[in-house]
Amino acid sequence: MAGPTAIRQNVGVSVKRNSLSLGAAVGLYGNAFGAAAVASGFSVPQACFISLILFSGASQFAAVGVIGAGGNPLSAIATAALLGTRNALYAFRMAPVLQVHGIKKIFAAQLTIDESTGMAVAQENDNDSKTGFWWTGVAVFIFWNLFTFTGALSAEALGDPAKWGLDAIVPAAFLGLLWAQIKNKRHTQLAVVSALFALALVHFVPAGVPIMATALLAIARGWRE
């Protein structure tokens, strides 16, 4: 029989393997962001810069979507910031586990995303949580930025985004992000109401406002529950 040390090592290897697999799978989605950014008028370097600095999938898609729809930079920043508030909540959850200080805290903040937090909280002890957080966060960061570059480069090479349907990437990406979160009847009802609410607003308010409004609607519904 395997001793406690061997079991511990096997668990650690499994966490790292799962983290790398998740990182690669999520990172592939960076292709879509790179293409969406170029379709919204960003250059390849600008798309890559957004992924390096912002590094938050939904917020990135929101920002380039607002700009692509003709919204101003302030609306794009506000929308991205609102969608990124969940990361602050993740930070409160992860702080007691990671216990980082100094410059390492900056790296931890950058890597505090859905996937790294999810992998961390799924573990049975703090050591595995730390491993899951760091390995997943770094893996997603590397693959996301790599595929952002390839996606942006490919989209730029294709020429006119609308000709190839690339201008539909942002709404399609948001639909993909939303679909995975619908798990019960209440979620479905909220998604339908939010979609109708956004459609009702889109012709009367500046670009970006419908996204912020529906996000606030979802927060209000969640607060009541």
Side-chain angles (χ1 to χ4, degrees), residues 20-21 46 55 71 74 90 122 126 149 174 180 184 190 208 214 222:
L20 290 174
S21 298
Q46 287 171 335
F55 187 52
L74 289 179
Y90 296 160
D126 284 355
F149 174 68
F174 262 107
N184 55 51
L190 179 58
T214 52

Side-chain angles (χ1 to χ4, degrees), residues 21-201:
S21 298
L22 179 60
V26 172
L28 281 169
Y29 201 42
N31 265 316
F33 172 73
V38 170
S40 297
F42 290 82
S43 66
V44 174
Q46 287 171 335
C48 293
F49 182 76
I50 293 172
S51 276
L52 281 169
I53 301 301
L54 186 54
F55 187 52
S56 181
S59 296
Q60 291 181 219
F61 278 108
V64 301
V66 170
I67 296 296
N72 62 59
L74 289 179
S75 295
I77 293 171
T79 304
L82 180 60
L83 292 177
T85 53
R86 69 191 189 284
N87 290 1
L89 301 178
Y90 296 160
F92 284 116
R93 172 65 177 82
M94 294 308 303
V97 176
L98 298 177
Q99 297 182 353
V100 290
H101 305 281
I103 193 169
K104 198 172 183 179
K105 183 178 289 188
I106 297 175
F107 291 118
Q110 182 71 345
L111 298 179
T112 302
I113 56 176
D114 299 334
E115 294 77 18
S116 60
T117 303
M119 183 64 74
V121 300
Q123 309 310 314
E124 295 182 355
N125 59 69
D126 284 355
N127 285 333
D128 289 339
S129 290
K130 290 178 182 178
T131 299
F133 176 87
W134 289 110
W135 278 73
T136 302
V138 170
V140 173
F141 185 83
I142 291 173
F143 286 113
W144 179 268
N145 282 282
L146 172 64
F147 286 111
T148 291
F149 174 68
T150 60
L153 204 62
S154 299
E156 187 178 64
L158 289 174
D160 180 16
K163 178 181 178 181
W164 301 95
L166 294 180
D167 52 336
I169 285 182
V170 173
F174 262 107
L175 181 60
L177 290 170
L178 172 66
W179 193 265
Q181 304 303 318
I182 298 177
K183 303 181 186 299
N184 55 51
K185 186 177 180 179
R186 288 201 306 273
H187 293 170
T188 302
Q189 291 172 342
L190 179 58
V192 171
V193 170
S194 296
L196 293 175
F197 185 45
L199 287 173
L201 291 176

